[in-house]
Amino acid sequence: MEKKKVITVENLVKKFGNFTANDNLNFHVDQGEIFGFLGANGAGKTTAMRILCGLSAPTSGKVDVAGFDVSHQSEEVKKRIGYMSQKFSLFEDLSVWENMRFFATVYGLSAKVFKERGEQLLHKLNLFEERKRLVSTLSLGWKQKLAFSVAILHQPSIVFLDEPTGGVDPITRRQFWEMIYEAADNGITVFVTTHYMDEAEYCDRVTIMVDGRIDALGTPSELKKQFNAASMNDVFLALAR
Amino acid sequence: MLPLIFVLPLVQLIVLVNAATMDMKNISVTVADKDLSSTSRLLISKLEASPFFKLEDLALSKEEAIERIQDNKTDVVIFIPHNMESDFNREGNAKLQIITDAIDASKAQLSFGYLSNIVRGLNLEISIEQQLLTDVKQIKSEALYWFNPNLNYKYYMLPAIMAILLTIIGMFLTALNLVREKEIGTAEQINVTPIKKSHFIIGKLVPFLIIGLFELTLALTLSKIIYDLPINGNLLVLYAFAFVYLLAVLGIGLFISTQSQTQQQVMMISFFFLLVFVLLSGAFTSVDNMPVLAQELNRLNPLYYFMNVIRMVLIKGAGFRDIMVEFGSTLLIACITVPLAVFSYRKTS
């Protein structure tokens, strides 16, 4: 059975002046997939992700996300996606609960649905007792987990994660990936960029960007076979060199 | 942050109103009296009695006195020549010289005016003494100081400072607030949500609108308690105008922040507008004395309208009908700046 495609990118080009950040990208992402987006710093990952989220307009090409064209229907796209940026971007001067309520309201969740889901989520994160704490007082690991939970609170069909595990300890990273798997099991497509090659192994499929182009695309085992490498780390080194 | 928003402006209000005074008091005078006569003594005693002058020193020579002006140690030098009294008694007239430091032109003119009055008083006194009053027919003028009979300069400056404070809140704080969100990244998180642009801008407007009106209330209360500021007009008129005014400057502030990426940019641009608005508005100097171009520019200056309205309502007791033009103009400015802020806000770069 043909899987449903939730992201389709055809001939995507993004230029900033003379600089080409994304050079003719073509790929698709299936529903429920964990899609890893790899590449060196400055390879154009964040640019591409920002286009997929409707934060930045493509110079040319066709990009469909969750059934809508990001160039013309970006607001429709935004209703159906979640986004967690590189920078931690919850409001530090609001409490955990206030942050959740703010974003739930922006996404149009009713008070009743929010209370139910929010409390359930806090219990799962073991943060229920801390819900009145200011977000600025949480540790980085907790902040990241909270940011992810807020990003999927409205049950989007796709969640975009831009280097979500940067700077957190290995245990928290593992917990974070458990959360990602759980989201994927619930049918949420996960689009994730990372620099950790062990994380790349956790993905269903992986692309590797080099200088604005996609140089490799496939499951981790396919890529390892293709580049005759023992690990994703070797695949990455072979490409990025 | 919130205590800062409320406390700092009020400190400014209380302190600045004393600094921003144009009352002429304590003008420093140096007298070089070469005459040392009873007439020169009389003049000096009159100077000492005047509240406007502070007799700094009696200089030995004119040169020494002028040196004092050059060293900024005195504002005015009065030179009384050697034989003033004997000349006067012999020839019926005599001369003395007044030299003022005219770097501050209005101060120089005012001190000259005050001094001329004192000399006139002196003449009259001498005439009476010497029974020269053969013909005293003269036209006398009587001055009535309306609205501010005691010429209390604070009544003029307090409303002006309130208007400036409200502008700072409206323009600076909103502009800084939005651009700060850009810097810390929450703006991007919001841009990726389906929130409507107008909702977002309204969310940014309303809190500062409330803070602004609250600040105005606080400033009025303090001015009333500390300086007994008269509130002759209807406060409802003032608040209605302040509401529209805040919308206008909030729109400007938000527009600035949509065009800026960093807080430094916002500071530079907001300072530019704030200085232009304040100096043109007539807060410190009369708009009627400005060149025609400046007066024309003031039509675009919301602070000019607010400056007029707050003084008219508080001091003159103006009603809504008296401020229709200002109200309409400010409303028009608000109707341009707020939609401008909404349209210029970009969720997609």
Side-chain angles (χ1 to χ4, degrees):
Chain A
M1 193 185 95
E2 177 85 347
K3 280 188 194 158
K4 200 178 157 221
K5 291 175 186 169
V6 286
I7 300 176
T8 323
V9 177
E10 287 168 12
N11 307 320
L12 169 62
V13 176
K14 176 72 181 183
K15 288 184 180 172
F16 297 105
N18 286 328
F19 176 69
T20 307
N22 290 155
D23 188 1
N24 203 25
L25 303 186
N26 286 283
F27 63 90
H28 72 268
V29 179
D30 295 324
Q31 187 167 12
E33 190 173 32
I34 300 178
F35 192 81
F37 210 56
L38 275 54
N41 292 325
K45 301 184 305 273
T46 300
T47 306
M49 184 180 263
R50 284 173 54 86
I51 291 172
L52 294 182
C53 295
L55 282 173
S56 170
T59 308
S60 66
K62 190 165 160 43
V63 180
D64 275 341
V65 174
F68 293 92
D69 183 341
V70 292
S71 306
H72 306 111
Q73 298 160 303
S74 62
E75 295 309 295
E76 287 300 318
V77 170
K78 285 172 183 172
K79 284 182 194 164
R80 291 164 179 83
I81 62 170
Y83 174 69
M84 178 183 165
S85 77
Q86 250 169 26
K87 277 196 223 171
F88 174 74
S89 51
L90 296 181
F91 292 94
E92 301 248 335
D93 40 9
L94 292 183
S95 71
V96 172
W97 187 252
E98 286 165 339
N99 264 293
M100 291 168 63
R101 195 175 60 207
F102 174 75
F103 284 102
T105 312
V106 168
Y107 282 106
L109 260 60
S110 71
K112 189 166 158 273
V113 172
F114 162 65
K115 192 170 184 305
E116 213 171 280
R117 269 193 223 167
E119 283 179 1
Q120 191 188 350
L121 194 146
L122 284 174
H123 282 301
K124 213 164 65 188
L125 284 174
N126 276 326
L127 266 177
F128 189 73
E129 299 302 319
E130 321 283 334
R131 66 188 184 283
K132 286 183 180 156
R133 252 173 76 175
L134 287 189
V135 160
S136 56
T137 65
L138 296 178
S139 72
L140 182 65
W142 281 116
K143 282 181 183 172
Q144 306 282 68
K145 284 191 243 179
L146 180 66
F148 178 69
S149 305
V150 168
I152 59 169
L153 193 61
H154 59 291
Q155 297 180 338
S157 62
I158 309 159
V159 63
F160 291 90
L161 310 172
D162 194 0
E163 292 175 25
T165 54
V168 301
D169 64 74
I171 297 170
T172 310
R173 259 172 68 197
R174 163 143 294 177
Q175 290 169 343
F176 197 92
W177 273 90
E178 279 165 12
M179 291 172 71
I180 291 179
Y181 274 116
E182 195 187 321
D185 284 345
N186 290 332
I188 297 178
T189 308
V190 180
F191 188 103
V192 56
T193 71
T194 180
H195 284 304
Y196 298 105
M197 289 306 133
D198 57 326
E199 290 185 353
E201 311 258 5
Y202 302 152
C203 297
D204 295 325
R205 281 194 307 148
V206 169
T207 70
I208 299 180
M209 280 192 77
V210 179
D211 293 337
R213 283 168 287 107
I214 289 182
D215 277 14
L217 173 62
T219 65
S221 55
E222 278 169 8
L223 290 181
K224 279 184 271 188
K225 203 188 282 174
Q226 185 187 340
F227 290 91
N228 198 16
S231 67
M232 281 306 292
N233 209 22
D234 296 338
V235 174
F236 187 81
L237 288 174
L239 274 166
R241 193 163 282 165
Chain B
M1 185 64 193
L2 212 56
L4 280 186
I5 295 177
F6 290 118
V7 174
L8 283 187
L10 295 175
V11 172
Q12 281 179 305
L13 179 78
I14 294 166
V15 175
L16 279 187
V17 73
N18 291 298
T21 172
M22 290 205 195
D23 280 344
M24 287 298 164
K25 273 183 218 151
N26 302 327
I27 300 169
S28 144
V29 179
T30 300
V31 178
D33 183 3
K34 296 298 263 182
D35 197 31
L36 296 173
S37 60
S38 61
T39 310
S40 69
R41 286 282 144 70
L42 189 61
L43 176 65
I44 291 167
S45 71
K46 278 188 166 300
L47 278 174
E48 278 173 332
S50 159
F52 301 117
F53 297 106
K54 196 171 86 205
L55 196 58
E56 206 57 66
D57 219 343
L58 291 172
L60 292 175
S61 66
K62 189 178 173 184
E63 288 70 30
E64 194 188 322
I66 283 172
E67 208 165 285
R68 294 185 63 81
I69 275 202
Q70 279 183 332
D71 296 345
N72 262 354
K73 285 182 181 149
T74 193
D75 302 315
V76 181
V77 164
I78 301 176
F79 176 60
I80 304 173
H82 185 53
N83 35 17
M84 181 183 75
E85 192 181 62
S86 56
D87 278 0
F88 182 76
N89 288 337
R90 196 162 1 121
E91 293 164 25
N93 68 62
K95 282 181 176 168
L96 59 80
Q97 190 174 35
I98 297 172
I99 302 166
T100 56
D101 177 357
I103 285 182
D104 184 344
S106 63
K107 191 176 185 181
Q109 281 172 344
L110 265 176
S111 3
F112 186 74
Y114 289 152
L115 280 172
S116 304
N117 261 340
I118 289 182
V119 174
R120 202 176 306 131
L122 181 75
N123 278 329
L124 201 65
E125 208 162 303
I126 295 171
S127 304
I128 293 168
E129 214 169 80
Q130 306 190 344
Q131 282 148 6
L132 295 173
L133 286 174
T134 49
D135 193 9
V136 280
K137 275 186 194 161
Q138 49 182 317
I139 296 175
K140 275 192 175 172
S141 63
E142 186 186 4
L144 289 178
Y145 298 113
W146 274 31
F147 305 118
N148 187 1
N150 296 325
L151 299 182
N152 186 338
Y153 200 73
K154 291 194 176 86
Y155 294 169
Y156 185 67
M157 285 319 295
L158 274 171
I161 294 175
M162 279 184 219
I164 295 171
L165 292 182
L166 229 60
T167 314
I168 293 176
I169 290 179
M171 216 161 76
F172 264 62
L173 285 185
T174 32
L176 283 173
N177 178 283
L178 179 54
V179 87
R180 180 170 166 270
E181 287 214 33
K182 283 190 192 176
E183 284 188 352
I184 60 180
T186 47
E188 184 168 274
Q189 193 67 49
I190 285 175
N191 287 345
V192 84
T193 69
I195 196 167
K196 286 198 176 70
K197 287 203 293 184
S198 53
H199 289 184
F200 180 75
I201 294 291
I202 290 170
K204 288 285 171 208
L205 280 179
V206 172
F208 290 101
L209 203 55
I210 295 171
I211 292 175
L213 292 177
F214 186 73
E215 188 98 47
L216 176 65
T217 312
L218 220 54
L220 281 171
T221 315
L222 277 180
S223 306
K224 182 79 196 162
I225 294 172
I226 300 177
Y227 295 114
D228 196 27
L229 176 78
I231 300 177
N232 294 327
N234 187 344
L235 278 181
L236 218 59
V237 176
L238 182 62
Y239 275 87
F241 185 87
F243 182 85
V244 176
Y245 175 74
L246 276 169
L247 279 182
V249 287
L250 282 165
I252 297 174
L254 283 173
F255 176 68
I256 292 172
S257 64
T258 60
Q259 301 303 308
S260 310
Q261 297 306 319
T262 65
Q263 302 199 34
Q264 279 99 324
Q265 283 176 327
V266 165
M267 291 297 277
M268 285 303 293
I269 302 173
S270 311
F271 255 119
F272 171 80
F273 279 108
L274 188 73
L275 268 182
V276 172
F277 283 174
V278 169
L279 290 182
L280 279 181
S281 70
F284 305 109
T285 48
S286 168
V287 174
D288 297 332
N289 295 342
M290 293 179 191
V292 180
L293 178 67
Q295 295 192 23
E296 291 295 320
L297 275 177
N298 259 333
R299 288 169 190 265
L300 303 172
N301 180 2
L303 188 55
Y304 163 70
Y305 298 116
F306 195 22
M307 208 56 80
N308 277 345
V309 168
I310 194 167
R311 280 174 178 155
M312 280 166 73
V313 173
L314 289 179
I315 314 295
K316 281 192 180 174
F320 191 74
R321 221 179 306 157
D322 305 307
I323 62 156
M324 287 283 259
V325 175
E326 284 85 355
F327 192 86
S329 309
T330 312
L331 190 64
L332 192 68
I333 294 175
C335 285
I336 294 168
T337 58
V338 174
L340 192 66
V342 175
F343 286 122
S344 64
Y345 180 62
R346 290 267 166 269
K347 286 181 75 180
T348 305
S349 58

